[in-house]
Amino acid sequence: SAKSASGCLAHPAKYAGQVAATDCVARANNTVGMANTIVKATWSRSTSNLGTASICATVSVKNNNKGSISYNDLYWQLQTPSGKVEGTNFDATNDLGSGGMVGGGIVTGNVCFDDPGQSGTYVGLYQPDSFNNNRGVWLFKLS
């Protein structure tokens, strides 16, 4: 399994859409360790550079592999309190974007989603490999 026991919350709260076997829920420091990478995401409401009400994650991905890995806005999704899963809106200032990163490299940037204006628990989702069900998961409340 690409899930690292030390990189995930041992006993996460239950949440809609949970896949216990393959979800790696972020620890208190907002980090997930999976596939030999450390991914940190800090979530907040903001306004995009186009003036859109957004929910954004400030992201850093550290590649602890020897080889290169890819990063991409499309690896990220946001599940709203009502259960709808949204893709990024590509409106972020300092957008994470996409590309490759060598072993030992770090990439930082923002990923943003349209803000549905709902209060409650949101679920940030990171799935870097479409052929692998492992997901990084961030649970956060917004009012």
Side-chain angles (χ1 to χ4, degrees):
S1 160
K3 241 169 84 163
S4 156
S6 62
C8 308
L9 202 58
H11 303 289
K14 298 281 183 237
Y15 53 93
Q18 183 172 21
V19 186
T22 51
D23 282 359
C24 178
V25 176
R27 299 181 339 204
N29 64 358
N30 292 322
T31 63
V32 161
M34 55 187 277
N36 214 15
T37 59
I38 303 296
V39 183
K40 182 171 187 173
T42 307
W43 299 83
S44 62
R45 281 201 158 102
S46 76
T47 303
S48 77
N49 57 8
L50 300 179
T52 310
S54 296
I55 294 172
C56 297
T58 300
V59 171
S60 74
V61 181
K62 181 170 188 336
N63 179 9
N64 292 323
N65 294 280
K66 285 188 171 57
S68 294
I69 63 168
S70 64
Y71 63 91
N72 197 312
D73 285 349
L74 298 176
Y75 298 165
W76 294 86
Q77 293 182 311
L78 179 68
Q79 180 178 303
T80 68
S82 66
K84 185 175 179 191
V85 178
E86 301 274 2
T88 60
N89 64 17
F90 299 103
D91 288 354
T93 304
N94 301 318
D95 183 51
L96 180 66
S98 62
M101 174 183 14
V102 299
I106 297 177
V107 66
T108 60
N110 297 312
V111 290
C112 292
F113 305 84
D114 291 346
D115 185 350
Q118 297 170 11
S119 295
T121 299
Y122 286 81
V123 183
L125 300 167
Y126 170 73
Q127 187 170 355
D129 181 353
S130 57
F131 299 105
N132 182 319
N133 292 330
N134 290 322
R135 303 187 301 180
V137 176
W138 287 262
L139 304 174
F140 60 98
K141 285 185 168 43
L142 295 175
S143 52

